[in-house]
Amino acid sequence: MPVSGDTVPMDPGTPATPGYRSRFSHGTEVAKPGYYAVTLDGPGVRAEMTAGTRIGVHRYSFPKGKAAHLVVDLRSSLYNYPGKILWSGLHLRDDGVLTGFRETRGWAPGRKLYFAMRFSAPLVGHALVNREKDIAYKGFQGPRPRQRCAGGEARSGTGSAARFRPAR
């Protein structure tokens, strides 16, 4: 979600407690086949979108003189409930392209969404905020019987590691 200014909200928000979601006026909308645009009231950002086969393209125009931010929230969804997001990840490449994915359960179990973002200006900073705590691993349920895992460690090519052990 595009955000402008010095404060960057990290939660979607509610009607009582604003977050990164923004109100808009139908008077600023343009909607026609293949194109949609609207100005977001809170940040004052013009959001334009188009789509093709298996692709969607967004363009955000930020107000001059205000810091421009993009919040990528991989933990919230339209119908939130515990365990909806099975797995997600982000990778910021050396060329500034941000790639990522999210796997969810629900009406389409194991649905994976992949994305890539290329920015028109170099990024001047980034931050990863992970506020999840003490999430017990409950395993993946599928058509096959569950198998117990003794635990182990996985390493990526970048040297980052993830340790895992079964829930008891």
Side-chain angles (χ1 to χ4, degrees):
M1 187 70 177
V3 176
S4 65
D6 296 328
T7 303
V8 181
M10 298 307 291
D11 287 306
T14 65
T17 309
Y20 59 70
R21 291 180 183 151
S22 180
R23 296 185 184 280
F24 66 94
S25 167
H26 291 291
T28 68
E29 281 183 304
V30 174
K32 53 187 172 183
Y35 179 79
Y36 177 80
V38 68
T39 299
L40 303 173
D41 292 345
V45 171
R46 183 71 174 169
E48 299 174 274
M49 288 147 250
T50 188
T53 304
R54 296 187 185 95
I55 186 170
V57 178
H58 292 217
R59 177 170 51 191
Y60 302 117
S61 300
F62 292 86
K64 292 191 186 311
K66 286 190 171 183
H69 307 278
L70 188 65
V71 176
V72 180
D73 184 350
L74 296 176
R75 68 183 174 101
S76 298
S77 65
L78 186 58
Y79 301 108
N80 269 340
Y81 56 85
K84 168 122 186 184
I85 309 303
L86 297 174
W87 194 249
S88 64
L90 288 171
H91 178 74
L92 181 58
R93 298 180 354 182
D94 289 339
D95 62 1
V97 172
L98 180 66
T99 60
F101 73 95
R102 182 169 86 170
E103 184 175 355
T104 61
R105 68 175 80 204
W107 64 269
R111 182 172 44 111
K112 294 179 179 115
L113 170 81
Y114 296 92
F115 61 88
M117 298 179 196
R118 179 173 292 134
F119 303 97
S120 61
L123 299 178
V124 295
H126 66 279
L128 175 65
V129 178
N130 182 1
R131 294 177 291 167
E132 305 293 332
K133 294 181 184 171
D134 302 323
I135 306 290
Y137 175 71
K138 296 180 181 174
F140 290 97
Q141 296 178 357
R144 293 180 277 160
R146 291 180 63 180
Q147 299 175 346
R148 284 194 69 78
C149 172
E153 180 174 296
R155 292 193 175 276
S156 73
T158 61
S160 60
R163 294 182 189 277
F164 55 94
R165 62 184 172 92
R168 301 205 190 276

